[in-house]
Amino acid sequence: MNAIGIDIGTTSICGIAVDIESGSILRSIGKNSNAFIKTQRPWEKIQSVEKIFDIAKGILDTLIDTETVSIGITGQMHGIVYTDKRGAAVSDLYTWQDGRGDLEYCGSTYAKALGSFSGYGNVTDFYNRINGEVPKNAAALCTIGDYLAMRLCGREKPLIHTSNAASLGCFDMQKNRFTCDCDAETASDCRILGEYKNIPVSIAVGDNQASVFSALTDEDELLINVGTGSQISVICDTPLACDGIEIRPYFDNKYLAVGAALCGGRAYSLLKDFVGEILGYANISDDDTVYNIMKEMATAVGEPSLKVDTRFGGTRDNAFIRGSVTNIGVENFRCGELVCGVLDGIITELYEMYVKMGIRRNGIVGTGNGIRKNQLLIRSAENKFSAKLKIPAHNEEAAYGAALISLVASGIKKNSADAQKLIKYYNATE
């Protein structure tokens, strides 16, 4: 028997079928959505809802077989789609990248007027209300994951899990309700929303929470994810209060403390472009070749003495912060030192967020291509956090988490711990 997980990403959509006895991935399908819609507004980032739905449904239909027992859904958070009274989409998807919240409003911005962030759904809705851009027949709003689940089940009104609801902004996590003009129905438990082809479909959940659920089984461990951006996530019993750390609803009445860096793995990619530009004069331009040369230069370097601040794109709190390279001397002004310094800077930014949280964990789990493909980054993480790093054996963490959550929601697995027994790891440095 198998459970299916669907993850609607910003640029791609993934579906996997997970064996509910072994935890192995039986089948995996990923497709680029190519859903972005070009507009005349440079700050507007919208996608075709119908294109996303058609691709996701196609993947799901391909994966479903007679052994499928449950379906879980996750996807990009923060963005919204408007629906009418019948549950049909009446707008495009306003994605998390949409910039209307940063436009000027009453001497400030729309986002700051709500005490929230641009790209968060309730900020987008606030702008649309002020400027008369809410579709006339709109009756509700929800995330794209909520929409897919609702439409598959033939529901007329979305039910938003708190992991998605909080991502829209203006949400009181302890009271489980919105603090602004949004009357969307929410739920804090993982439940079955309905059925698709007689298979139970669980309520859609946020992709960050789904990813953590599929990777972090021991609350005495922390999770770092390094992709284009990077994140550090820690499960906690009560919501923390500290600058630069976001608190998100999790499962089983717990919370996630999340620190997010905007550059993350992109910092290493930028360094690759820099080194590649130099090597290009020697007719060496292939990305894999450049990465291998960088690895060779850095392997002999121990603890880097160059100090690199990798906040090249600013932070969520301050878009004007920029990175730097310091402690340059005649003995360390070498390319290998710079490579190690950038990797150490990526981890240092996450570690400093961890220190801000004021809580301690004794183990570390790593996910994302930046971790899986870079032993030097793993070495830096293990040195900084003074712990051995382990990596989940499965890829596609968000889709895998959605599949596991569907097993809990449907009662096939008795609780979260039972479902998470399917997760396998390997030690990154073995």
Side-chain angles (χ1 to χ4, degrees), residues 51-95:
K51 196 167 190 177
I52 291 171
F53 177 82
D54 288 343
I55 293 173
K57 182 177 177 295
I59 291 173
L60 180 59
D61 288 341
T62 303
L63 290 173
I64 287 176
D65 61 24
T66 57
E67 297 291 307
T68 302
V69 295
S70 63
I71 298 167
I73 294 169
T74 187
Q76 53 175 298
M77 302 189 295
H78 308 303
I80 56 168
V81 54
Y82 291 102
T83 62
D84 64 17
K85 292 181 179 180
R86 298 178 292 106
V90 292
S91 75
D92 299 311
L93 169 64
Y94 301 88
T95 74

Side-chain angles (χ1 to χ4, degrees), residues 27-47:
R27 299 182 300 281
S28 177
I29 302 173
K31 293 186 177 181
N32 290 331
S33 60
N34 297 314
F36 275 103
I37 299 170
K38 292 183 179 180
T39 76
Q40 299 301 311
R41 298 164 154 179
W43 42 262
E44 188 170 53
K45 298 294 184 290
I46 58 176
Q47 292 183 327

Side-chain angles (χ1 to χ4, degrees), residues 268 271-272 275 279 287-302 334-340 343 371-379 428:
Y268 197 60
L271 179 61
K272 179 267 300 179
V275 175
L279 293 176
D287 282 355
D288 288 341
T289 301
V290 176
Y291 276 127
N292 286 333
I293 291 173
M294 290 165 60
K295 179 181 177 181
E296 288 181 20
M297 290 188 296
T299 298
V301 178
R334 298 184 294 117
C335 202
E337 282 274 357
L338 182 59
V339 172
C340 288
L343 294 172
I371 291 289
R372 293 181 184 275
K373 295 181 178 181
N374 196 321
Q375 280 290 323
L376 292 172
L377 189 63
I378 291 170
R379 182 183 72 177

Side-chain angles (χ1 to χ4, degrees), residues 31 33 48 111 130 194 201 284 294 305 312 324 336 369 394 397:
K31 293 186 177 181
S33 60
S48 166
I130 295 296
V201 178
I284 300 172
M294 290 165 60
S305 55
F312 303 138
S324 63
N369 285 336
H394 58 268
E397 289 91 359

Side-chain angles (χ1 to χ4, degrees), residues 405-416:
I405 289 164
S406 74
L407 291 173
V408 178
S410 62
I412 296 171
K413 297 295 182 179
K414 60 184 179 181
N415 53 37
S416 296

Side-chain angles (χ1 to χ4, degrees), residues 215-362:
L216 205 55
T217 59
D218 185 346
E219 292 184 20
D220 193 36
E221 296 175 331
L222 59 87
L223 175 68
I224 61 171
N225 175 277
V226 181
T228 303
S230 61
Q231 292 178 324
I232 180 166
S233 301
V234 176
I235 300 171
C236 48
D237 293 324
T238 57
L240 304 172
C242 47
D243 293 338
I245 303 300
E246 186 176 353
I247 305 302
R248 298 175 178 176
Y250 192 53
F251 309 112
D252 301 324
N253 298 314
K254 295 184 182 296
Y255 300 88
L256 277 185
V258 180
L262 298 182
C263 247
R266 186 184 176 201
Y268 197 60
S269 178
L270 289 171
L271 179 61
K272 179 267 300 179
D273 291 342
F274 174 77
V275 175
E277 184 178 356
I278 298 171
L279 293 176
Y281 288 97
N283 296 319
I284 300 172
S285 58
D286 176 70
D287 282 355
D288 288 341
T289 301
V290 176
Y291 276 127
N292 286 333
I293 291 173
M294 290 165 60
K295 179 181 177 181
E296 288 181 20
M297 290 188 296
T299 298
V301 178
E303 185 74 18
S305 55
L306 282 181
K307 301 301 178 185
V308 182
D309 182 339
T310 55
R311 295 178 295 177
F312 303 138
T315 68
R316 290 197 174 187
D317 293 333
N318 189 340
F320 301 102
I321 288 178
R322 289 295 178 265
S324 63
V325 181
T326 58
N327 200 43
I328 301 172
V330 294
E331 73 287 347
N332 67 0
F333 193 41
R334 298 184 294 117
C335 202
E337 282 274 357
L338 182 59
V339 172
C340 288
V342 167
L343 294 172
D344 186 68
I346 293 169
I347 298 299
T348 295
E349 186 174 4
L350 296 177
Y351 184 78
E352 289 176 350
M353 294 175 182
Y354 170 61
V355 171
K356 276 186 178 182
M357 294 177 186
I359 51 181
R360 293 295 170 263
R361 297 291 183 261
N362 294 313

